[in-house]
Amino acid sequence: MKKILAFAGSNSSTSINHRLLTHISERIQGHEVKLIKLTEYDFPMYSADLETERGIPMDVKIVKNIIAEHDALIIAVNEHNGTVSSYFKNCIDWLSRADRNFLKDKKILLISTSNGARGAASALEFTKSVLPRFGGRVVESFSFPSYADNFRDNKVHNEVLDMGIEDVLTTFSHEVES
């Protein structure tokens, strides 16, 4: 049994990405999944001056260590104006300053959703291209479109999307095992 860490890159208390992530995490079988909220940790706005003056914040080190304790990650990526949220980008900036290879040997499943037809696909693609710089390997990704139309009562109401999620989870689980 492998250990999988799941978190959303959103700082919204009503994050649809966190809701979808919770649903997907509950569907993983045969592995231990830990779901955290990054908002429970203090990530001040990154600046080189702040880092020089105060060093790496303790909460950043804590999250880096939590990531290190897991074999794989599921990350839900939210989108603001066609790219990742400044909150998530800031978290990545701090974590990469704490350890350039903070994702070393981590297998990653990326998911994204929005109420739009593209399902935050731009943010997903950006994140897919960035995470390998920090040692991670994105083994699967899934963009879930039109969240409000397709997900209600903690259930996927579109059979094709539900089958797509199942395919992605099967592939990811097999990759995590190997």
Side-chain angles (χ1 to χ4, degrees):
M1 179 183 299
K2 301 290 184 169
K3 293 172 65 175
I4 300 171
L5 179 66
F7 57 84
S10 174
N11 62 344
S12 170
S13 63
T14 60
S15 170
I16 60 176
N17 276 278
H18 185 78
R19 286 186 206 151
L20 182 62
L21 175 68
T22 300
H23 171 78
I24 286 174
S25 296
E26 290 169 352
R27 290 173 69 164
I28 301 270
Q29 297 189 12
H31 302 292
E32 177 186 327
V33 180
K34 178 178 183 172
L35 181 65
I36 66 169
K37 288 188 174 187
L38 291 179
T39 55
E40 294 177 355
Y41 303 91
D42 185 26
F43 280 78
M45 184 56 67
Y46 178 80
S47 79
D49 294 340
L50 181 62
E51 181 183 3
T52 300
E53 183 181 310
R54 299 186 196 161
I56 305 295
M58 183 55 64
D59 279 0
V60 173
K61 292 176 185 177
I62 290 169
V63 172
K64 181 189 78 65
N65 289 337
I66 292 170
I67 290 170
E69 294 168 354
H70 289 80
D71 302 298
L73 306 174
I74 304 171
I75 303 173
V77 183
N78 64 321
E79 186 172 280
H80 291 173
N81 299 319
T83 189
V84 296
S85 68
S86 56
Y87 175 78
F88 183 57
K89 173 73 169 65
N90 185 62
C91 291
I92 297 292
D93 290 344
W94 271 116
L95 288 165
S96 69
R97 295 300 298 162
D99 179 356
R100 177 70 181 172
N101 289 310
F102 75 98
L103 295 174
K104 185 176 181 354
D105 300 326
K106 302 298 178 211
K107 295 175 182 176
I108 302 167
L109 166 59
L110 288 178
I111 63 169
S112 65
T113 193
S114 72
N115 283 315
R118 292 184 29 81
S122 296
L124 183 77
E125 288 304 314
F126 171 81
T127 307
K128 216 166 145 178
S129 71
V130 169
L131 295 186
R133 296 177 188 176
F134 310 114
R137 184 165 71 90
V138 178
V139 296
E140 270 295 352
S141 65
F142 191 83
S143 174
F144 189 90
S146 306
Y147 176 86
D149 295 334
N150 294 313
F151 192 88
R152 292 178 305 285
D153 305 319
N154 200 34
K155 287 168 56 174
V156 177
H157 290 271
N158 178 309
E159 188 176 322
V160 174
L161 289 174
D162 196 53
M163 288 187 314
I165 290 171
E166 196 58 40
D167 286 346
V168 165
L169 289 177
T170 299
T171 302
F172 177 67
S173 289
H174 286 130
E175 284 289 328
V176 170
E177 273 304 317
S178 59

